């Protein structure tokens, strides 16, 4: 069984954590999900206290590590002396992803180069760090992915599950949370966004003469 961890901190964006926790938590056969933090309880941007399941260091042994966002929470976490040193992540053996401003954590951990995405309001910050901010919901570089916009959690989770299993498993995972009557529409959109976000796959299709403009 694979181990997925969601990294949270004080002032995290509520929907980032709760949406991924809900989607991934519905499957208890293929993976196990835990919430990690630097303190026993972290408080969301809207004031909800969340008891974490373990310390940040558990992320180093996980199969997947997903960082949530937070307009105030991310800068504070990055400034905390014990936050970044807790991580020894390895994209050769782990899937690593972020939502919105969580991309700044990946950048500080040395996991990003070239292109990335984040919340639209934070793109200039990525650019100032030497990254190319891309106006799309998902950008993947091998086993590292950034997602932009809170609802892009659908794409980040979809990318993670499909990269481990296949598109059918991704569909089965996301279907329960999709709007009634629009499941087929979302399925196409999520699938196309994952392929658009996969830089390597897009480049390969271009080399083979197929369009990569979805």
């Amino acid at each position: 069984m694979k181990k997925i961890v969601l990294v949270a901190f004080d002032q995290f964006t509520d929907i980032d954590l709760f949406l991924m926790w809900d989607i991934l938590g519905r499957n208890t056969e293929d993976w196990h999900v835990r919430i990690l933090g630097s303190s026993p309880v972290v408080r969301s941007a809207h004031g909800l206290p969340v008891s974490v399941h373990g310390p940040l260091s558990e992320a180093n042994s996980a199969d997947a590590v997903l960082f949530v966002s937070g307009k105030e929470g991310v800068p504070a976490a990055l400034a905390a002396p014990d936050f970044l040193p807790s991580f020894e992540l390895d994209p050769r053996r782990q899937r690593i992803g972020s939502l919105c401003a969580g991309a700044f954590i990946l950048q500080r951990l040395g996991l990003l180069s070239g292109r990335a995405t984040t919340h639209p309001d934070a793109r200039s910050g990525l650019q100032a760090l030497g990254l190319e901010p891309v106006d799309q919901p998902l950008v993947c570089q091998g086993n590292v992915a950034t997602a932009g916009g809170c609802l892009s959690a659908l794409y980040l989770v979809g990318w993670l599950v499909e990269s481990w299993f296949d598109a059918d498993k991704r569909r089965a995972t996301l279907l329960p949370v999709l709007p009634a009557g629009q499941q087929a529409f979302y399925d196409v959109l999520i699938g196309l966004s994952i392929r658009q976000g996969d830089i390597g796959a897009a480049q390969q299709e271009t080399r083979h003469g197929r369009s990569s403009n979805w």
Side-chain angles (χ1 to χ4, degrees):
M1 179 177 289
K2 295 185 181 298
K3 178 181 177 181
I4 303 172
V5 299
L6 308 178
V7 178
F9 34 77
D10 283 330
Q11 296 294 302
F12 70 86
T13 301
D14 297 60
I15 192 173
D16 289 1
L17 181 67
F18 300 138
L19 182 54
M20 291 196 295
W21 168 256
D22 183 271
I23 295 171
L24 291 167
R26 295 174 185 234
N27 182 325
T28 58
E29 297 179 357
D30 298 302
W31 52 73
H32 180 59
V33 189
R34 287 170 64 82
I35 299 172
L36 307 183
S38 57
S39 59
V41 176
V42 293
R43 192 169 295 272
S44 78
H46 291 321
L48 288 177
V50 174
S51 298
V52 305
H53 302 118
L56 297 175
S57 58
E58 280 193 26
N60 301 322
S61 61
D63 298 294
V65 183
L66 303 179
F67 290 87
V68 300
S69 185
K71 184 176 181 179
E72 305 294 336
V74 167
L78 290 175
D82 60 342
F83 185 75
L84 290 174
S86 298
F87 300 107
E88 296 178 2
L89 306 183
D90 185 352
R92 294 171 297 180
R93 60 178 178 81
Q94 296 174 296
R95 304 292 199 278
I96 305 168
S98 66
L99 276 170
C100 294
F104 292 93
I105 300 174
L106 300 193
Q107 189 275 335
R108 287 285 295 276
L109 290 172
L111 296 169
L112 297 182
S113 62
R115 307 165 77 239
T117 189
T118 186
H119 190 280
D121 293 344
R123 286 179 192 145
S124 61
L126 279 186
Q127 192 169 25
L129 295 172
L131 294 168
E132 177 189 352
V134 183
D135 186 17
Q136 60 189 49
L138 186 70
V139 173
C140 313
Q141 295 179 338
N143 288 336
V144 178
T146 54
C150 296
L151 293 184
S152 64
L154 291 171
Y155 307 103
L156 186 62
V157 169
W159 162 80
L160 174 63
V161 174
E162 186 167 327
S163 70
W164 273 340
F165 299 94
D166 53 31
D168 287 338
K169 176 68 76 174
R170 182 254 297 167
R171 293 186 184 100
T173 301
L174 297 178
L175 182 64
V177 303
L178 299 181
Q182 296 183 339
Q183 291 94 336
F185 171 81
Y186 271 89
D187 177 53
V188 171
L189 181 61
I190 292 168
L192 292 179
S193 297
I194 291 172
R195 295 202 295 277
Q196 180 190 48
D198 189 339
I199 296 173
Q203 291 174 341
Q204 184 177 16
E205 292 208 4
T206 300
R207 286 195 298 270
H208 285 80
R210 293 189 294 273
S211 171
S212 60
N213 296 318
W214 293 291

